[in-house]
């Protein structure tokens, strides 16, 4: 029979799949002998069964009864006992942290009878008892019964207005007792029955609500954003309540063992006296810095610091800790490896290496290409000394600007229309997640580094400023002193300094980009972040098996790619060289009536092509350069059919000369295709238009010979696109080899000939094609398009949103490689190609070459290199190193 419930003493941190992160870490802290309230965890397996089969899970109720009895015995109290009640919290806890996305209910077990017993427990503190009861009704109503939270907030607001106070803590016991009555009326109004008085019934309903919250809209959206699998489910933790709202000697807080924004060592966190944990996380009251706890309760503060050191040493990482102090007694409610910004991730990983806690291999696995990409975003350029409007807490770094919006829905609206928005709120809640994703940044007037806005923004790499308490937020405007900022006005926010500016502040390149470019101010070279990036990138490069090349079509792009660490060019697109002033020569080629006209156009293009290639070969001297022969349909270089038809009609109407336009229109009509992506393009162009590929091959060979004559070391590779049958490649190769032999002579220049694998048939017949190819480069953009039957230019806007919503995709297959389908084609081509030609060089040149997850797949399959845009080269380098380290680690397990 399945076991669905575990006491904390039965688990450990390695059981996250079963107990969720929170349950596993509560168990780990219990095993370490830290002060953790008694409790038990209901497994993720039970959640999956509940969501599949409904409420009836055989044996679960009996297991909960047994573990609840053990909890009651440990605490010496009974759930809901009128004289001496045990109260519990019911909290979610998935394998991966999803802050605020699922449900929590505190003070379960409290009712009309036991509220008096709770007061007696607290030494006659009626205010505490009624405050706890109103919190239960509010959380239970919202979480379990879907009562609109605004109505509870309105009732609380009315109570404060009636009392003439601004803060919850200024309400006395009688005020809170009246508030409980008001909350009960709200509950009945929406639910249709009284608030449940049976403590065990409260517990069962709360557990079921937490299970259901796994599929709440915001949880689904967050999982999609963070690429968390949808089938994991959440565990449920039932924990004996400890109370931070018993008075000034009680409180609650969140602590980090290092700064989650910068990675700096020190005391970081927030503390609230006379409050429960949700008050800190929700950001509904501005908190005190954790360091102030030393003055308030030195004994608890010193104990907390010892526990923080113990946990960081045990987990060997930044820890995020939630705690409560109940009348001077410290209790640990949660720990986890803390979410952090990209800058903090690199800095902390390097610090832990320097401190001897981890080695460089592990440090490289602690950071990611996605985080490195965040560090490469621009920063504000403050050379003009803009005056800040106000300042809050820099909760998640970055530079963001946009139009002010005050609702999540409006942020989504603006983003959908391509406009940038800054979401401004008093405090965010989990329902704001769509707007937080859509906005460029988030500004709140309440909360600190541990508030909901801060934690979620850091996890997403979104710029965030919290706790800007001078900001008075209204419905369609906010004010700072006498300054009014209305919806639609542009502001800029700095998530590092916490400063907020009116208008759009200009940006400058990040220090990390300047480091990669070799353009960094020497004074910044030893800054912790830059030093950490250098240390980890150097180690990643030393461990990587995959080489990283760049997609570059000009000498300027090639030079930047080389500065960014590229080991060559994996895709040089020659069609980009036919644009601008050269378009006229292409038009001449297309409109040529005979061989003489065609040869004349090609002869005019050849020296231009040769100069282009020589420029790139010089910049990449000694490194391979893969030049793809022209790929797109030629009509892409001509005016559109509709445009030409209008021009000709207008000219005729006016009696004007239109012979050239008429010839062009006839050519465009002749070349028009219903589906040009599957028409006359790639290798087919080279076979149908005499001399086109020959001109390009000659230009490549002549440029290589010219560089060799200068004393350089050219390494050209000619890539034939869109091959589907070996006979196509053999035909092109035969002509190319004659030209290369003629041009190269005895110079010693070697020119490789290979093909792109972008047609499914090419992947499936790779063993044959390898007979004529010295290398394969997987064009995963077209391979994905053809394997799925998608028109890439149309489908993403047409229906991909629905596929993502339904979970058919976790992410667009054009962003991250579809391992099961397209990935299988890559595996087949790799295996069969190398079976024919063991030394076959293999790479990838589609957009997937810079996608972190795809890079790991390409390492696993055994490719030799990936190629991506110059800006993504450092990202791919880091991921290539990580893939090698993780692969070596799995080999040793």
């Amino acid at each position: 029979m399945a076991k669905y419930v575990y006491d904390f003493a039965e688990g450990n941190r390695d059981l996250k799949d079963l107990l969720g992160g929170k349950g596993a870490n509560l168990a780990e802290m219990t095993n370490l002998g830290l002060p953790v309230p008694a409790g038990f965890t209901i497994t993720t397996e039970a959640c999956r069964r509940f969501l599949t089969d409904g409420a009836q899970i055989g044996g679960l109720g009996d297991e909960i009864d047994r573990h609840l009895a053990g909890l009651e015995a440990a605490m010496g109290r009974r759930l809901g006992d009128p004289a001496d009640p045990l109260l519990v919290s019911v909290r979610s806890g998935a394998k991966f942290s999803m802050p605020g996305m699922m449900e929590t209910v505190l003070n379960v077990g409290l009712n009309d009878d036991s509220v008096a017993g709770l007061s007696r427990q607290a030494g006659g503190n009626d205010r505490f008892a009624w405050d706890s009861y109103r919190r239960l009704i509010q959380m239970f109503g919202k979480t379990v019964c879907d009562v609109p939270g605004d109505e509870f907030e309105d009732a609380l607001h009315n109570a404060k207005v009636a009392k003439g106070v601004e803060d919850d803590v200024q309400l006395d016991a009688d005020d809170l007792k009246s508030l409980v009555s008001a909350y009960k009326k709200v509950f009945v109004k929406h639910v249709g029955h009284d608030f449940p008085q049976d403590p065990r019934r409260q517990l069962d309903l709360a557990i079921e609500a937490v299970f259901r919250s796994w599929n709440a809209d915001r949880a689904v959206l967050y999982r999609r954003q963070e690429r968390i699998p949808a089938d994991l489910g959440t565990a449920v933790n039932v924990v004996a309540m400890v109370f931070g709202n018993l008075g000034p000697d009680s409180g609650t807080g969140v602590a980090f063992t290092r700064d989650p924004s910068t990675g700096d060592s020190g005391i970081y966190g927030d503390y609230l006296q006379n409050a429960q944990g949700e008050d800190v996380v929700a950001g509904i009251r501005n908190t005190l810095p954790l360091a102030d706890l030393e003055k308030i309760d030195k004994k608890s503060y010193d104990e907390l610091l010892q526990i923080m050191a113990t946990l960081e040493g045990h987990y060997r990482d930044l820890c995020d800790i939630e705690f409560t102090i109940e009348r001077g007694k410290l209790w640990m409610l949660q720990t986890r490896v803390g979410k952090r910004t990209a800058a903090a991730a690199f800095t902390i990983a390097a610090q832990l290496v320097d401190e001897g806690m981890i080695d460089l291999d592990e440090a490289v696995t602690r950071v990611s290409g996605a985080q490195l990409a965040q560090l490469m975003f621009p920063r504000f350029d403050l050379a003009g000394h803009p005056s800040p409007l106000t300042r809050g807490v820099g909760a998640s770094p970055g530079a963001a600007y946009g139009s002010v919006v005050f609702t999540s829905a409006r942020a989504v609206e603006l983003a959908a229309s391509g406009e940038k928005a800054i979401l401004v709120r008093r405090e965010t809640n989990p329902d704001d997640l769509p707007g937080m994703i859509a906005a460029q940044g988030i500004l709140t007037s309440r909360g600190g580094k541990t508030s909901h806005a801060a934690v979620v923004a850091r996890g997403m790499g979104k710029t965030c400023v919290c706790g800007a308490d001078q900001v008075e937020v209204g419905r369609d405007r906010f004010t700072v002193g006498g300054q009014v900022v209305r919806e639609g006005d542009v502001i800029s926010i700095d998530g590092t300094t916490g400063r907020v500016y009116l208008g759009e502040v200009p940006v400058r390149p990040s220090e990390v980009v300047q480091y990669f470019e070799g353009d960094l101010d020497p004074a910044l070279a030893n800054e912790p972040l830059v030093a950490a990036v250098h240390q980890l990138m150097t180690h990643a490069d030393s461990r990587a098996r995959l080489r990283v090349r760049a997609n570059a079509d000009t000498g300027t792009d090639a030079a930047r790619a080389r500065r960014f660490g590229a080991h060559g060019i994996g895709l040089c697109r020659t069609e980009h060289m036919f644009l601008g002033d050269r378009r006229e020569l292409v038009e001449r080629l297309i409109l040529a009536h005979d061989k003489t006209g065609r040869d004349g156009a090609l002869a005019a293009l050849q020296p231009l092509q040769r100069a282009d290639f020589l420029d790139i070969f010089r910049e990449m001297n000694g490194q391979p350069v893969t030049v793809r022969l022209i790929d797109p349909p030629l009509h892409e270089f001509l005016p559109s059919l509709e445009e030409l038809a209008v021009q000709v009609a207008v000219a005729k109407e006016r009696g004007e000369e239109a012979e050239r336009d008429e010839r062009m229109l006839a050519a465009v009509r002749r070349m028009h295709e219903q589906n040009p992506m599957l028409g006359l393009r790639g290798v087919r162009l080279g076979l149908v238009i005499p001399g086109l590929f020959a001109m390009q091959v000659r230009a490549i060979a002549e440029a290589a010979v010219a560089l060799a004559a200068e004393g350089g070391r050219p390494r050209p590779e000619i890539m034939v696109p869109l091959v589907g049958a070996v006979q196509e490649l053999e035909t092109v190769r035969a002509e190319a080899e004659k030209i290369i032999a003629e041009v190269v002579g005895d110079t010693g220049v070697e020119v490789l000939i290979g093909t792109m694998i972008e047609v499914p048939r090419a992947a499936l017949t790779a063993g044959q094609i390898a007979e004529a190819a010295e290398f394969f480069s997987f064009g995963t953009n077209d391979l994905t398009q053809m394997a799925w039957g998608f028109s890439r230019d149309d489908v993403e806007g047409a229906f991909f949103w629905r596929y993502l919503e339904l979970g058919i995709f976790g992410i667009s297959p054009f962003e991250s490689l579809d391992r099961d389908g397209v990935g299988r084609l890559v595996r087949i081509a790799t295996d069969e190609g190398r079976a024919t030609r063991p030394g076959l060089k293999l790479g990838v040149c589609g957009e997937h070459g810079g996608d972190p997850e795809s890079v790991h797949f390409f390492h696993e399959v055994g490719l030799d290199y990936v190629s991506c845009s110059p800006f993504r080269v450092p990202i791919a380098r880091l991921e290539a190193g990580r893939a090698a380290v993780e692969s070596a680690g799995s080999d040793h397990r």
Side-chain angles (χ1 to χ4, degrees), residues 330-370:
L330 177 66
W331 292 97
M332 307 306 295
L333 304 185
Q334 178 176 335
T335 192
R336 60 190 170 202
V337 171
K339 289 187 178 293
R340 66 208 70 187
T341 64
F346 275 83
T347 301
I348 290 170
Q351 286 173 347
L352 294 175
V353 170
D354 294 342
E355 294 166 17
M357 295 179 71
I358 62 176
D359 61 20
L360 274 167
D361 272 2
E362 185 163 356
V364 165
T365 67
R366 297 275 185 96
V367 295
S368 70

Short mmCIF file of all heavy atoms in Angstrom, two decimals, residues 330-370:
data_model
loop_
_atom_site.label_atom_id
_atom_site.label_comp_id
_atom_site.label_asym_id
_atom_site.label_seq_id
_atom_site.Cartn_x
_atom_site.Cartn_y
_atom_site.Cartn_z
N LEU A 330 12.94 31.32 19.10
CA LEU A 330 13.15 31.30 17.65
C LEU A 330 12.71 29.95 17.06
O LEU A 330 13.10 28.90 17.56
CB LEU A 330 14.63 31.54 17.34
CG LEU A 330 15.04 31.47 15.86
CD1 LEU A 330 14.40 32.60 15.06
CD2 LEU A 330 16.57 31.52 15.73
N TRP A 331 11.93 30.02 15.98
CA TRP A 331 11.49 28.82 15.26
C TRP A 331 11.84 28.96 13.78
O TRP A 331 11.64 30.02 13.19
CB TRP A 331 9.98 28.62 15.39
CG TRP A 331 9.52 28.28 16.77
CD1 TRP A 331 9.01 29.13 17.71
CD2 TRP A 331 9.51 26.97 17.37
NE1 TRP A 331 8.70 28.45 18.85
CE2 TRP A 331 8.99 27.11 18.68
CE3 TRP A 331 9.90 25.70 16.93
CZ2 TRP A 331 8.84 26.04 19.55
CZ3 TRP A 331 9.74 24.62 17.79
CH2 TRP A 331 9.22 24.80 19.09
N MET A 332 12.31 27.88 13.19
CA MET A 332 12.64 27.87 11.76
C MET A 332 11.47 27.27 10.98
O MET A 332 11.08 26.11 11.22
CB MET A 332 13.91 27.06 11.50
CG MET A 332 15.11 27.49 12.35
SD MET A 332 15.47 29.24 12.21
CE MET A 332 15.93 29.32 10.49
N LEU A 333 10.90 28.04 10.06
CA LEU A 333 9.72 27.60 9.32
C LEU A 333 10.03 27.10 7.92
O LEU A 333 9.22 26.39 7.33
CB LEU A 333 8.70 28.74 9.24
CG LEU A 333 8.25 29.35 10.57
CD1 LEU A 333 7.17 30.39 10.32
CD2 LEU A 333 7.75 28.27 11.51
N GLN A 334 11.17 27.48 7.38
CA GLN A 334 11.50 27.04 6.03
C GLN A 334 12.93 27.43 5.71
O GLN A 334 13.43 28.44 6.18
CB GLN A 334 10.57 27.70 5.01
CG GLN A 334 10.88 27.31 3.56
CD GLN A 334 9.87 27.90 2.57
OE1 GLN A 334 8.75 28.18 2.93
NE2 GLN A 334 10.28 28.06 1.35
N THR A 335 13.58 26.61 4.89
CA THR A 335 14.81 27.03 4.23
C THR A 335 14.82 26.43 2.85
O THR A 335 14.18 25.40 2.58
CB THR A 335 16.06 26.61 5.02
OG1 THR A 335 17.19 27.29 4.47
CG2 THR A 335 16.32 25.10 4.93
N ARG A 336 15.52 27.07 1.97
CA ARG A 336 15.72 26.56 0.61
C ARG A 336 16.94 27.25 0.04
O ARG A 336 17.35 28.32 0.52
CB ARG A 336 14.48 26.84 -0.26
CG ARG A 336 14.15 28.30 -0.41
CD ARG A 336 12.80 28.51 -1.06
NE ARG A 336 12.39 29.91 -0.97
CZ ARG A 336 11.14 30.33 -1.07
NH1 ARG A 336 10.15 29.47 -1.22
NH2 ARG A 336 10.84 31.61 -1.01
N VAL A 337 17.50 26.65 -0.98
CA VAL A 337 18.55 27.34 -1.72
C VAL A 337 17.90 28.54 -2.38
O VAL A 337 16.93 28.40 -3.13
CB VAL A 337 19.20 26.41 -2.76
CG1 VAL A 337 20.12 27.18 -3.67
CG2 VAL A 337 19.95 25.29 -2.05
N GLY A 338 18.38 29.74 -2.06
CA GLY A 338 17.65 30.95 -2.39
C GLY A 338 17.72 31.35 -3.85
O GLY A 338 18.75 31.17 -4.51
N LYS A 339 16.60 31.90 -4.33
CA LYS A 339 16.62 32.51 -5.65
C LYS A 339 17.51 33.73 -5.61
O LYS A 339 17.60 34.40 -4.58
CB LYS A 339 15.20 32.90 -6.07
CG LYS A 339 14.33 31.70 -6.40
CD LYS A 339 13.00 32.12 -6.97
CE LYS A 339 12.15 30.92 -7.35
NZ LYS A 339 12.71 30.15 -8.47
N ARG A 340 18.15 34.02 -6.71
CA ARG A 340 19.11 35.12 -6.73
C ARG A 340 19.14 35.73 -8.11
O ARG A 340 18.69 35.12 -9.09
CB ARG A 340 20.50 34.62 -6.36
CG ARG A 340 21.08 33.66 -7.41
CD ARG A 340 22.05 32.68 -6.84
NE ARG A 340 21.39 31.70 -6.00
CZ ARG A 340 22.01 30.80 -5.27
NH1 ARG A 340 23.31 30.74 -5.26
NH2 ARG A 340 21.34 29.95 -4.53
N THR A 341 19.68 36.93 -8.19
CA THR A 341 19.85 37.56 -9.49
C THR A 341 21.00 36.90 -10.23
O THR A 341 21.80 36.15 -9.67
CB THR A 341 20.16 39.05 -9.32
OG1 THR A 341 21.42 39.18 -8.66
CG2 THR A 341 19.08 39.75 -8.52
N ALA A 342 21.10 37.24 -11.50
CA ALA A 342 22.20 36.70 -12.30
C ALA A 342 23.55 37.15 -11.75
O ALA A 342 24.49 36.35 -11.66
CB ALA A 342 22.04 37.15 -13.76
N ALA A 343 23.64 38.42 -11.36
CA ALA A 343 24.90 38.92 -10.81
C ALA A 343 25.27 38.18 -9.54
O ALA A 343 26.43 37.79 -9.33
CB ALA A 343 24.80 40.42 -10.54
N ALA A 344 24.28 37.96 -8.68
CA ALA A 344 24.55 37.24 -7.43
C ALA A 344 24.95 35.80 -7.70
O ALA A 344 25.81 35.24 -7.00
CB ALA A 344 23.31 37.29 -6.53
N ALA A 345 24.35 35.18 -8.70
CA ALA A 345 24.67 33.78 -9.00
C ALA A 345 26.15 33.62 -9.33
O ALA A 345 26.84 32.73 -8.82
CB ALA A 345 23.81 33.28 -10.16
N PHE A 346 26.66 34.49 -10.20
CA PHE A 346 28.08 34.40 -10.58
C PHE A 346 28.98 34.76 -9.39
O PHE A 346 29.98 34.07 -9.12
CB PHE A 346 28.37 35.33 -11.76
CG PHE A 346 28.06 34.71 -13.09
CD1 PHE A 346 26.77 34.71 -13.59
CD2 PHE A 346 29.05 34.09 -13.84
CE1 PHE A 346 26.47 34.13 -14.81
CE2 PHE A 346 28.77 33.50 -15.06
CZ PHE A 346 27.47 33.52 -15.54
N THR A 347 28.62 35.83 -8.69
CA THR A 347 29.47 36.28 -7.58
C THR A 347 29.53 35.23 -6.48
O THR A 347 30.61 34.91 -5.95
CB THR A 347 28.94 37.61 -7.03
OG1 THR A 347 28.93 38.58 -8.08
CG2 THR A 347 29.80 38.12 -5.89
N ILE A 348 28.39 34.67 -6.11
CA ILE A 348 28.34 33.68 -5.03
C ILE A 348 29.09 32.41 -5.43
O ILE A 348 29.84 31.83 -4.63
CB ILE A 348 26.89 33.37 -4.64
CG1 ILE A 348 26.26 34.59 -3.95
CG2 ILE A 348 26.80 32.15 -3.73
CD1 ILE A 348 24.76 34.48 -3.74
N ALA A 349 28.91 31.96 -6.67
CA ALA A 349 29.61 30.75 -7.11
C ALA A 349 31.13 30.93 -6.98
O ALA A 349 31.84 30.04 -6.49
CB ALA A 349 29.23 30.41 -8.55
N ALA A 350 31.62 32.10 -7.40
CA ALA A 350 33.07 32.35 -7.30
C ALA A 350 33.50 32.47 -5.84
O ALA A 350 34.58 31.98 -5.46
CB ALA A 350 33.42 33.63 -8.07
N GLN A 351 32.69 33.12 -5.01
CA GLN A 351 33.02 33.24 -3.58
C GLN A 351 33.14 31.86 -2.93
O GLN A 351 34.07 31.60 -2.15
CB GLN A 351 31.93 34.04 -2.86
CG GLN A 351 31.94 35.53 -3.13
CD GLN A 351 30.72 36.21 -2.51
OE1 GLN A 351 29.77 35.55 -2.09
NE2 GLN A 351 30.75 37.53 -2.46
N LEU A 352 32.19 30.99 -3.23
CA LEU A 352 32.19 29.67 -2.61
C LEU A 352 33.41 28.85 -3.04
O LEU A 352 33.91 28.03 -2.28
CB LEU A 352 30.89 28.93 -2.94
CG LEU A 352 29.61 29.55 -2.35
CD1 LEU A 352 28.37 28.81 -2.83
CD2 LEU A 352 29.66 29.55 -0.82
N VAL A 353 33.88 29.08 -4.28
CA VAL A 353 35.13 28.44 -4.71
C VAL A 353 36.29 28.98 -3.88
O VAL A 353 37.11 28.22 -3.34
CB VAL A 353 35.38 28.69 -6.22
CG1 VAL A 353 36.79 28.25 -6.61
CG2 VAL A 353 34.35 27.95 -7.06
N ASP A 354 36.35 30.30 -3.76
CA ASP A 354 37.44 30.92 -3.00
C ASP A 354 37.43 30.49 -1.53
O ASP A 354 38.48 30.40 -0.89
CB ASP A 354 37.34 32.44 -3.09
CG ASP A 354 37.57 32.96 -4.51
OD1 ASP A 354 38.13 32.19 -5.33
OD2 ASP A 354 37.19 34.10 -4.80
N GLU A 355 36.23 30.22 -1.00
CA GLU A 355 36.11 29.81 0.40
C GLU A 355 36.30 28.30 0.59
O GLU A 355 36.23 27.80 1.71
CB GLU A 355 34.74 30.22 0.94
CG GLU A 355 34.56 31.75 1.02
CD GLU A 355 33.11 32.16 1.24
OE1 GLU A 355 32.30 31.28 1.64
OE2 GLU A 355 32.78 33.34 1.01
N GLY A 356 36.52 27.58 -0.52
CA GLY A 356 36.78 26.15 -0.43
C GLY A 356 35.55 25.29 -0.21
O GLY A 356 35.66 24.10 0.09
N MET A 357 34.35 25.87 -0.40
CA MET A 357 33.12 25.12 -0.18
C MET A 357 32.73 24.26 -1.38
O MET A 357 32.10 23.22 -1.25
CB MET A 357 31.98 26.06 0.21
CG MET A 357 32.20 26.77 1.54
SD MET A 357 30.86 27.91 1.98
CE MET A 357 29.55 26.78 2.37
N ILE A 358 33.06 24.75 -2.60
CA ILE A 358 32.78 23.99 -3.82
C ILE A 358 33.99 24.12 -4.74
O ILE A 358 34.83 25.00 -4.55
CB ILE A 358 31.51 24.49 -4.55
CG1 ILE A 358 31.67 25.96 -4.99
CG2 ILE A 358 30.28 24.33 -3.66
CD1 ILE A 358 30.50 26.48 -5.81
N ASP A 359 34.08 23.24 -5.75
CA ASP A 359 35.16 23.36 -6.72
C ASP A 359 34.66 24.07 -7.96
O ASP A 359 33.47 24.38 -8.09
CB ASP A 359 35.77 22.00 -7.05
CG ASP A 359 34.77 21.02 -7.67
OD1 ASP A 359 33.73 21.48 -8.20
OD2 ASP A 359 35.02 19.81 -7.64
N LEU A 360 35.55 24.33 -8.90
CA LEU A 360 35.18 25.10 -10.09
C LEU A 360 34.17 24.36 -10.97
O LEU A 360 33.31 24.98 -11.60
CB LEU A 360 36.43 25.45 -10.90
CG LEU A 360 37.15 26.73 -10.46
CD1 LEU A 360 38.52 26.82 -11.11
CD2 LEU A 360 36.32 27.96 -10.81
N ASP A 361 34.28 23.03 -11.02
CA ASP A 361 33.29 22.28 -11.79
C ASP A 361 31.88 22.55 -11.27
O ASP A 361 30.96 22.82 -12.04
CB ASP A 361 33.58 20.78 -11.72
CG ASP A 361 34.54 20.31 -12.81
OD1 ASP A 361 35.01 21.17 -13.59
OD2 ASP A 361 34.82 19.10 -12.87
N GLU A 362 31.72 22.46 -9.95
CA GLU A 362 30.39 22.70 -9.39
C GLU A 362 29.98 24.16 -9.57
O GLU A 362 28.81 24.46 -9.82
CB GLU A 362 30.34 22.31 -7.92
CG GLU A 362 28.94 22.44 -7.33
CD GLU A 362 28.74 21.69 -6.03
OE1 GLU A 362 29.67 20.99 -5.59
OE2 GLU A 362 27.64 21.80 -5.46
N ALA A 363 30.94 25.07 -9.45
CA ALA A 363 30.63 26.49 -9.62
C ALA A 363 30.04 26.76 -11.01
O ALA A 363 29.09 27.53 -11.16
CB ALA A 363 31.87 27.33 -9.40
N VAL A 364 30.59 26.11 -12.02
CA VAL A 364 30.09 26.31 -13.38
C VAL A 364 28.65 25.82 -13.51
O VAL A 364 27.84 26.41 -14.24
CB VAL A 364 31.03 25.62 -14.40
CG1 VAL A 364 30.37 25.48 -15.76
CG2 VAL A 364 32.32 26.40 -14.53
N THR A 365 28.30 24.76 -12.79
CA THR A 365 26.92 24.25 -12.86
C THR A 365 25.96 25.12 -12.06
O THR A 365 24.74 24.98 -12.20
CB THR A 365 26.83 22.80 -12.37
OG1 THR A 365 27.10 22.74 -10.95
CG2 THR A 365 27.79 21.90 -13.11
N ARG A 366 26.48 26.01 -11.21
CA ARG A 366 25.62 26.88 -10.40
C ARG A 366 25.15 28.12 -11.16
O ARG A 366 24.36 28.91 -10.63
CB ARG A 366 26.37 27.33 -9.14
CG ARG A 366 26.77 26.21 -8.17
CD ARG A 366 25.64 25.87 -7.22
NE ARG A 366 26.05 24.89 -6.22
CZ ARG A 366 26.47 25.19 -5.00
NH1 ARG A 366 26.59 26.46 -4.63
NH2 ARG A 366 26.80 24.24 -4.15
N VAL A 367 25.70 28.36 -12.35
CA VAL A 367 25.30 29.50 -13.16
C VAL A 367 24.78 28.98 -14.49
O VAL A 367 24.93 27.80 -14.80
CB VAL A 367 26.47 30.49 -13.37
CG1 VAL A 367 26.89 31.11 -12.05
CG2 VAL A 367 27.66 29.80 -14.04
N SER A 368 24.18 29.85 -15.28
CA SER A 368 23.58 29.38 -16.53
C SER A 368 23.76 30.42 -17.62
O SER A 368 24.01 31.60 -17.37
CB SER A 368 22.08 29.11 -16.33
OG SER A 368 21.38 30.33 -16.15
N GLY A 369 23.57 29.96 -18.86
CA GLY A 369 23.64 30.87 -19.99
C GLY A 369 22.56 31.93 -19.94
O GLY A 369 22.77 33.07 -20.34
N ALA A 370 21.38 31.55 -19.44
CA ALA A 370 20.29 32.53 -19.32
C ALA A 370 20.69 33.65 -18.36
O ALA A 370 20.39 34.83 -18.60
CB ALA A 370 19.02 31.84 -18.85
#
